[in-house]
Amino acid sequence: MARRPKRRNRHRGRLIDYPRRGRTSWRRWVPSWRHVLTGVLLGFSALAGLFAVVYASVDIPDENAEARRQGSVYYWADGSQLVSVGTVNRQNVTLADIPGSVEDAVIAAENETFYDDPGVSVTGLARAVVSVVKGGETQGGSTITQQYVKNTYLTQEQTATRKLKEFFISLKLNNKQTKQEILQGYLNTSWFGRGANGVQAAAQAYYGIPAKDLDPSQAALLAALLKGAEQYDPAISKGNHERAVGRWKWILDRQVETGRMTKAERAKYREFPEPRTAAKPTSLGGQTGYLVDIANKYIKKSSGLTDKDLARGGYRVHTTFEKDRTQQLERAVRSVRERDLDPKKRPEDKYVEIGAASVRPEDGAVVAVYGGADATTRFANNADTAGVPVGSAFKPFVLAAALQHGRGITLESGYDSEGNLISGGPLAVSTHPPGAVPGGVKVTAPTTLSEALITSANATFVQLGKHIGLKKVKELAVAAGLHEESLARLDKSFPLGTSTPSAVRMADAYTAFSNEGMRADPYSVTRVTRDGEEVEGFAKPELRRAMDASVANNVNNVLGTVAWTKLAREKQLEPFIRSQALDGLSAGATGEGDRMRSAWFIGHTEGLTTAVTMFRNKPGTPQLLGMQGVGGDKSDRGNAFPLRIWSAYATGK
């Protein structure tokens, strides 16, 4: 009997039984639980695959340039901050230099699960995506890791694409860096308002202290600012103050709730830690720009760093500048200007410029400068720029060269009216009337070299320079610290001060007279670091001998007489003379016999040598203007004013 062929199952070979067999009508289209489970598994597999592909394709990018940029911080000699300069006011610090109270406040306020989460917030991402789909901006809810990624690796734009990148980079970063490294980076890159990027800059901006000195109450306010400084800086408005106080309280309470602070400690902080008044944005105005200019010149000279290197920022520059002396010098200049100059009434008082510098003889440290009225309106640094003839203030170098190299020449030596050097005994009385005598030297009367310096006798110094040799004078001036390029050509006017050294260099060169012939190159920076590493080249300059001790002492003794003579002639300084017991007073200056377009006074007392110069410089005019008539007819061609500035500075009045 033949077998009947088997009936082929028309459903065999279907991978998915859908529509469902054995069902009729609409029931065929209702998925079974197997269908649902399979769909869910396939969906999760697809998402996992997509996640893996995206995760693999997204790399941690290089830090953006803004995150790497830091301000360079300059410090006064006492270690307090002078200024932070650079496009970004940021000073990176390690977590070891940030108190635990800051960490506790920030984590309690921003991300209490920071040490346990994978670096991302899924709910925060979901809110952001929904918001973008609805046409709104992305929402908050990011973890500390995500905020750090946004600050450091991405832009601040609010888009879904940026948010997705932030999510995946945060996951990778969380696996690559420790939580401590992430938190440190976050605290160094976050915006706190008042131009402050990072907690170190914020501590300075709000409380004038480094981050390591913040207490838990101050830390809570800084943590509150992370929500939006424009809304929580208490100094901006009354509403801001109310919001800041409320969030400050909440952050302290949250620390108790999360176990980061005890109730007993919380009870200590009931008074809101009012920050100091918001300062104007950091700038290089006033004297600050001139100080930074001098420091940067010294840095480049000593270390080989370039302007491009300095522009990268991140340097910590410790200077020799003393805050109180710099402010005192500025006050002295301002007081004399306001009292004695009136450009509205006297055209001669227009375009008057002043420069000054103080140097410590024992080591050459520049402790104060006055570079001009304001570095933002006149950047030329009057304290450190060559170009102003020094006049009779140069004559002590001529005398020193003569005593150093002239055989038999002493302070009692002099020239008779015939132009002959007399090294001892009474000087011969001239047999010629004043005027031209043999040799072409113009004399008025015989005088000793010491008297010639006191009276600023030009003829004597012209003859002395010729006698000793102008090259010898130049060599001694260079040994004393004047730059060779600032010295004038060697002609008969050279001993009269046609050279144009800066105020810094003149002050430093005069230290050789008060320091027994020893002097050091002027320096303005003691230490420079970057990223905790020392920059080499900032050892203190060594003292060197510029002239014999006996020569320096002899010249300095005469300069002491010069100083008292100048002071005695100024009636306004009589109270100063009577009241002050000045230590080691000596000075050199320009005088009424000078016809240079400048006035100088270089004075030493109380262990400090200070040079003050005044000149007239109209912007756009290459030549200096004349000093005749500045301050009125009795100002001695303006020579009275550097002396008045110096005395006001020396006495603090």
Side-chain angles (χ1 to χ4, degrees), residues 208-453:
I209 59 176
K212 65 182 179 64
D213 293 336
L214 291 167
D215 64 34
S217 182
Q218 295 166 332
L221 175 61
L222 294 190
L225 295 167
L226 293 170
K227 191 173 179 63
E230 67 282 355
Q231 296 293 319
Y232 289 90
D233 183 342
I236 293 178
S237 66
K238 183 179 180 181
N240 269 33
H241 194 278
E242 292 175 354
R243 282 189 291 270
V245 171
R247 188 159 178 81
W248 165 77
K249 290 180 178 178
W250 179 83
I251 290 173
L252 289 172
D253 291 340
R254 282 292 296 163
Q255 291 182 70
V256 175
E257 293 173 14
T258 57
R260 292 184 171 273
M261 181 182 287
T262 65
K263 290 183 178 180
E265 187 177 7
R266 169 67 181 91
K268 297 177 183 177
Y269 307 113
R270 297 298 179 188
E271 185 176 346
F272 183 68
E274 296 285 355
R276 64 182 185 176
T277 303
K280 294 181 179 179
T282 299
S283 71
L284 296 178
Q287 296 308 302
T288 304
Y290 302 123
L291 296 170
V292 170
D293 172 60
I294 290 175
N296 284 348
K297 286 179 182 176
Y298 188 77
I299 290 171
K300 289 184 285 186
K301 172 188 172 184
S302 301
S303 67
L305 292 174
T306 65
D307 286 326
K308 183 178 180 180
D309 294 327
L310 293 174
R312 291 169 55 209
Y315 293 96
R316 304 290 176 268
V317 181
H318 298 265
T319 74
T320 59
F321 307 130
E322 297 180 10
K323 185 177 182 178
D324 56 344
R325 291 190 184 276
T326 298
Q327 293 176 340
Q328 189 170 314
L329 182 56
E330 185 176 19
R331 285 194 300 269
V333 173
R334 190 185 306 117
S335 66
V336 172
R337 264 190 177 281
E338 293 174 352
R339 186 187 64 207
D340 297 332
L341 299 179
D342 192 346
K344 292 182 179 180
K345 292 184 178 180
R346 280 190 300 267
E348 295 85 357
D349 290 359
K350 291 182 177 180
Y351 311 118
V352 170
E353 294 292 337
I354 297 169
S358 287
V359 175
R360 194 164 56 216
E362 64 191 60
D363 62 357
V366 181
V367 303
V369 299
Y370 179 86
D374 192 320
T376 60
T377 58
R378 176 184 167 81
F379 189 71
N381 192 337
N382 296 340
D384 198 37
T385 300
V388 181
V390 74
S392 292
F394 186 78
K395 289 174 180 174
F397 302 110
V398 184
L399 177 58
L403 297 177
Q404 182 78 27
H405 300 290
R407 181 178 298 178
I409 294 180
T410 68
L411 292 176
E412 298 306 312
S413 300
Y415 293 94
D416 62 19
S417 57
E418 304 293 335
N420 300 311
L421 178 70
I422 300 176
S423 296
L427 295 179
V429 178
S430 175
T431 58
H432 295 273
V437 296
V441 179
K442 188 174 182 178
V443 297
T444 55
T447 183
T448 65
L449 297 184
S450 60
E451 290 170 346
L453 184 61

Side-chain angles (χ1 to χ4, degrees), residues 95 103 114-115 177-185:
L95 206 57
E103 177 181 341
F114 170 69
Y115 279 107
Q177 294 187 4
T178 66
K179 289 290 188 179
Q180 288 77 13
E181 290 172 331
I182 292 171
L183 181 61
Q184 175 177 299

Side-chain angles (χ1 to χ4, degrees), residues 511-583:
T511 64
F513 299 131
S514 60
N515 201 35
E516 298 189 331
M518 302 296 290
R519 45 81 52 181
D521 284 335
Y523 74 102
S524 55
V525 177
T526 59
R527 182 175 176 237
V528 177
T529 63
R530 192 173 195 276
D531 296 330
E533 297 291 331
E534 293 279 345
V535 177
E536 295 182 356
F538 296 98
K540 184 181 294 188
E542 295 182 359
L543 284 170
R544 297 196 300 272
R545 181 160 297 285
M547 63 193 78
D548 290 346
S550 59
V551 170
N553 291 337
N554 280 331
V555 174
N556 200 55
N557 288 337
V558 181
L559 290 176
T561 304
V562 171
W564 286 113
T565 301
K566 293 288 183 181
L567 290 168
R569 291 178 60 184
E570 273 293 313
K571 291 184 179 181
Q572 295 183 42
L573 301 179
E574 286 179 355
F576 163 75
I577 298 172
R578 290 195 301 267
S579 64
Q580 301 296 317
L582 297 178
D583 174 44

